[in-house]
Amino acid sequence: MTHSSRAGTDGPRASVALSKEGLPAWLEPVVRAAETVKPLQLSRFLPPENGTGRQSAVLILFGEGPEGPELLLMERAGSLRSHAGQPSFPGGALDPEDGDPKADGPLRAALREAEEETGLDPAGVQLFGVLPRLYIPVSHFVVTPVLGWWREPSPVGVVDPNETARVFRVPVADLTNPANRATAEHPSGHRGPAFLVESTLVWGFTAGVIDRLLHYAGWERAWDREKLVPLDWRS
């Protein structure tokens, strides 16, 4: 199956909308969480009230794999200026052609960036929810997390090695497994949730969002918060 490497750059932007129709039953707790969670329940870092910050979006894409529900993640290239080498959701800053940041701009940006970074076909993705906007102080990104269901999976992989080191899927069962959970400790002293999955450490913003999603969807299992994983000085 062929698809363009950049969604919609050769014509007007396709309309994007949220739809909960036909979602698998196991996603219902995530839908409920998205509808009820308050910004401060997700993070203490909220967008500046003066409206500053770079508008961006990430795609939190749920699919179904051999081991049940799974999430699509990628590892950012080690040469990037911000968040180098970090596992993350596909995503990035809004482009002008994505449209209104306060309307459907983040939906388009999440799909466009996911296609550019992982090669997925946006036509197979059903967007079903949006979480409250959050803030990443270190890079000044105001992030809209966009929730998607991978209704028709397409092949994914590294599109540009300068941006992405690898693309991988993580079973939700691995994320909820207490043996794979830890608390990451930054040299600055900051601590946050982390996941040891797919031979990598997921931490920072991405781990924080996954941690809260698991919690408010009712999927979280008791885990040892005293199990510390130190992050090195380069992180």
Side-chain angles (χ1 to χ4, degrees), residues 78-119:
S79 55
L80 288 174
R81 206 169 53 225
S82 62
H83 310 292
Q86 250 182 282
S88 68
F89 302 115
L94 267 68
D95 281 352
E97 63 266 28
D98 292 325
D100 187 352
K102 293 186 171 65
D104 56 7
L107 306 185
R108 282 202 191 86
L111 287 174
R112 175 183 55 74
E113 285 282 342
E115 183 179 15
E116 290 175 10
E117 291 175 331
T118 74

Side-chain angles (χ1 to χ4, degrees), residues 218-229:
W219 293 347
E220 184 179 35
R221 295 163 59 190
W223 57 284
D224 180 8
R225 292 163 193 274
E226 299 305 309
K227 182 168 122 187
L228 293 184
V229 177

Side-chain angles (χ1 to χ4, degrees), residues 12-33:
R13 283 283 169 200
S15 63
V16 285
L18 299 177
S19 167
K20 303 182 188 73
E21 212 170 300
L23 293 175
W26 59 262
L27 264 178
E28 284 170 14
V30 178
V31 174
R32 278 199 304 275

Side-chain angles (χ1 to χ4, degrees), residues 20-90:
K20 303 182 188 73
E21 212 170 300
L23 293 175
W26 59 262
L27 264 178
E28 284 170 14
V30 178
V31 174
R32 278 199 304 275
E35 290 171 342
T36 55
V37 73
K38 304 284 187 290
L40 278 171
Q41 291 177 310
L42 285 177
S43 173
R44 62 192 176 94
F45 297 115
L46 301 184
E49 289 179 9
N50 62 7
T52 57
R54 290 188 70 193
Q55 295 295 329
S56 64
V58 295
L59 180 63
I60 303 177
L61 185 59
F62 289 91
E64 215 147 344
E67 297 171 61
E70 57 186 18
L71 270 179
L72 179 69
L73 295 178
M74 49 173 270
E75 205 168 290
R76 295 167 61 81
S79 55
L80 288 174
R81 206 169 53 225
S82 62
H83 310 292
Q86 250 182 282
S88 68
F89 302 115

